[in-house]
Amino acid sequence: MDKIKQLQARRAKVLAAGESVRKTISALVDADSFVELSGFSFSKNEFYGEDAEGEGVVTGFATIEGYPVYVAAQNFAVLNGGVSEANCEKILKCLALAEKNSTPILYVLNSYGVQIGEGVTVLEGLAKVLSKAAKLHGVVPQFAYINGEVYGQAALLAACADFTFFDKTGVLAADSPLVISAKSGKNLPKEEVGGAKALTNANLVSFEVENVSEIREKFSKILDVLPDFNSVVVENGADLNKVFPSLNQQCSAEDLIVSVFDKDTFVECGKNYSPEVRCVIGRIGGISAAAVLFDREEGVFLNENNLAKITAFVEFAAYYNLPFITFADVLGMTSDLSTSNSLALKNAFKLMETYDLLENAKISVVFKKAIGLGYTLFVAKSMGFDYTYAFANSKIALFDSVQGAEIEFDQEKADREKLAAKYADENSDPLNAAKKGYVDNIIEPQYIKQYLIASLQMLLR
């Protein structure tokens, strides 16, 4: 047999089976940069009696906006993207190369689950892949693009990823939405079970995107900021002495983000999960940084979900050596039965433990309130913050109000007049904390970017 013709015939068959997923890859990566790995990998599915051209997954390496990346893209056209042992081996090879070359990995996920004809064998293959992905957490950035339906254990790859992108077709669930819906006594469409807008408590949706151009943009912006892939300090034309007089009149979390971070350098992730906590990475005066901002009109109460979100973000900042900043408007733990009987306290402990991983600059800014546990976790010097600022009109106290103190000490029959004096607004002035050395400087909001740049320049490691 003519070997050239045989190769051409086999290549045509593989390309035909992967036509759709290859178009997706081509749209994601830079033109003509994709080089495929293990393209001629075939096996037979005995249960269905079909060949799995390319094993239902396309793997290789490419660049996105000039950044090298390894790609593992599930091919739904082959057995519904069914995961097989050979499929797992292809992904595993890709992950091993990503680790060896310190290169990010991008999963394109679209699969109904495992190929059931393989039994336990495929579970061992999945265990290898998931174990490797878990070991790469914090070693190389992992991205996942959910561009179809992803059910079963393949969904764990999204959980391993640092950043996940959902388009309007993306549905992610640990089991079939039909099964989940039925066992919940409901009849819900799949989007209401595992769509981006349904997964509000899962912390699995970093970004909702309209198209792959948004993925390319956010991918490059994230890597632009990470010291492992770009300089921690760049000259980007930012005005290092710029002031923002409008902050003296109005200073919301959104105002701070737009004012503090250099234009077109920042990305906010996880907007649909605990939106009262905003997690942003970007550059401040050309310096890489990660920031948590609390965003609720009357201040943010802590609970198990927003503490988990913050902890995961702090962990990411620690792994990739980003300076970390908190913008505090936080009141303490939510006082209700559901929070009391939840993982809130455990998650607060986990956050404190994760802080120890941070080796770069740690800065706190009290822009509105830091009350009780909110102060302890996000402002206190003893929690490891190198430098603490407070805006002149901010509030730092054990309790948010006289009434709060009265309720707390009611059983002790405390002197209400003394409590009223101690927790009056004038005694919650940040000047009292500054007198004891707990706050390094009290500033006008309009100068915050200048102060942060100066501190980052001095504290940067």
Side-chain angles (χ1 to χ4, degrees):
M1 181 182 288
D2 187 324
K3 295 295 184 180
I4 299 297
K5 288 184 178 179
Q6 184 184 45
L7 172 63
Q8 291 171 342
R10 177 163 281 190
R11 177 181 289 132
K13 195 173 184 181
V14 169
L15 292 176
E19 182 178 4
S20 178
V21 72
R22 283 183 171 81
K23 284 182 179 178
T24 299
I25 293 171
S26 294
L28 281 166
V29 306
D30 298 338
D32 300 321
S33 69
F34 183 68
V35 178
E36 189 166 352
L37 298 168
S38 304
F40 295 102
S41 180
F42 285 76
S43 67
K44 187 87 168 176
N45 185 290
E46 295 178 5
F47 191 84
Y48 292 105
E50 297 179 32
D51 285 334
E53 292 85 3
E55 300 304 343
V57 62
V58 176
T59 61
F61 56 91
T63 60
I64 297 178
E65 301 295 337
Y67 286 107
V69 60
Y70 282 90
V71 179
Q74 291 178 316
N75 183 8
F76 194 78
V78 176
L79 299 173
N80 295 328
V83 180
S84 66
E85 181 188 26
N87 176 305
C88 291
E89 289 299 326
K90 285 184 71 172
I91 298 173
L92 197 62
K93 181 188 293 186
C94 202
L95 293 177
L97 288 169
E99 179 182 31
K100 180 180 179 180
N101 297 312
S102 299
T103 302
I105 180 83
L106 171 61
Y107 308 107
V108 181
L109 302 179
N110 189 356
S111 170
Y112 277 174
V114 300
Q115 294 182 27
I116 58 177
E118 292 197 357
V120 175
T121 300
V122 69
L123 297 181
E124 283 291 341
L126 272 165
K128 290 178 184 177
V129 169
L130 294 172
S131 176
K132 187 66 172 178
K135 289 173 182 174
L136 288 182
H137 184 62
V139 177
V140 297
Q142 298 181 68
F143 300 81
Y145 172 29
I146 316 302
N147 76 328
E149 299 172 62
V150 183
Y151 307 142
Q153 293 186 41
L156 281 167
L157 281 175
C160 287
D162 299 293
F163 301 97
T164 53
F165 303 92
F166 278 66
D167 67 16
K168 60 185 178 181
T169 69
V171 178
L172 183 77
D175 205 339
S176 163
L178 185 66
V179 173
I180 293 172
S181 184
K183 288 189 175 181
S184 302
K186 298 181 179 181
N187 183 22
L188 299 172
K190 61 190 178 185
E191 294 81 8
E192 292 185 25
V193 176
K197 288 181 170 52
L199 298 175
T200 54
N201 291 322
N203 199 17
L204 288 171
V205 184
S206 302
F207 307 103
E208 293 182 63
V209 297
E210 291 293 324
N211 50 55
V212 294
S213 296
E214 287 187 49
I215 298 175
R216 287 173 55 88
E217 177 193 9
K218 287 180 168 57
F219 179 93
S220 63
K221 276 189 174 183
I222 290 167
L223 293 187
D224 279 346
V225 172
L226 300 187
D228 286 356
F229 301 93
N230 204 345
S231 175
V232 69
V233 182
V234 299
E235 176 53 59
N236 61 4
D239 184 353
L240 305 188
N241 296 305
K242 190 170 183 178
V243 298
F244 299 88
S246 62
L247 292 180
N248 280 3
Q249 278 69 52
Q250 175 181 306
C251 189
S252 67
E254 181 66 24
D255 296 325
L256 280 171
I257 291 171
V258 172
S259 301
V260 166
F261 284 96
D262 302 341
K263 186 179 179 181
D264 296 328
T265 70
F266 61 88
V267 174
E268 180 182 354
C269 56
K271 289 184 180 182
N272 78 335
Y273 175 58
S274 294
E276 72 279 8
V277 170
R278 303 181 66 173
C279 297
V280 181
I281 62 172
R283 290 188 180 273
I284 301 173
I287 303 172
S288 297
V292 166
L293 302 97
F294 293 89
D295 187 10
R296 184 164 283 173
E297 189 171 343
E298 298 301 321
V300 173
F301 283 101
L302 299 170
N303 57 50
E304 65 173 325
N305 288 333
N306 55 33
L307 284 166
K309 179 179 181 177
I310 295 166
T311 301
F313 188 66
V314 170
E315 183 180 63
F316 177 82
Y319 284 148
Y320 293 100
N321 201 31
L322 289 169
F324 180 71
I325 305 168
T326 63
F327 291 89
D329 182 17
V330 56
L331 304 174
M333 199 74 77
T334 304
S335 297
D336 60 24
L337 286 173
S338 63
T339 303
S340 180
N341 186 28
S342 75
L343 292 172
L345 288 175
K346 278 287 189 181
N347 288 352
F349 161 72
K350 182 64 178 176
L351 173 60
M352 293 186 289
E353 189 177 42
T354 306
Y355 275 149
D356 281 343
L357 299 176
L358 287 167
E359 295 182 352
N360 216 312
K362 294 182 283 294
I363 300 170
S364 177
V365 179
V366 183
F367 79 102
K368 287 188 179 178
K369 295 178 181 179
I371 308 296
L373 182 63
Y375 172 89
T376 303
L377 291 178
F378 301 104
V379 182
K381 287 283 188 183
S382 300
M383 197 57 70
F385 287 94
D386 301 299
Y387 213 93
T388 300
Y389 297 104
F391 287 178
N393 52 357
S394 65
K395 182 176 182 178
I396 298 174
L398 182 59
F399 300 102
D400 192 27
S401 65
V402 174
Q403 289 76 18
E406 289 177 347
I407 292 169
E408 181 73 17
F409 292 107
D410 184 58
Q411 291 183 344
E412 299 179 18
K413 303 187 184 306
D415 187 315
R416 290 176 181 261
E417 288 187 8
K418 289 183 178 180
L419 282 175
K422 186 172 183 61
Y423 293 103
D425 282 346
E426 58 265 27
N427 287 327
S428 297
D429 188 295
L431 183 62
N432 291 300
K435 285 178 180 178
K436 296 182 179 180
Y438 303 144
V439 171
D440 293 297
N441 214 331
I442 301 172
I443 65 172
E444 291 182 46
Q446 66 176 330
Y447 298 120
I448 182 56
K449 185 166 185 174
Q450 290 183 7
Y451 278 96
L452 286 175
I453 292 171
S455 296
L456 288 168
Q457 288 173 339
M458 290 301 297
L459 295 170
L460 202 61
R461 298 178 179 85

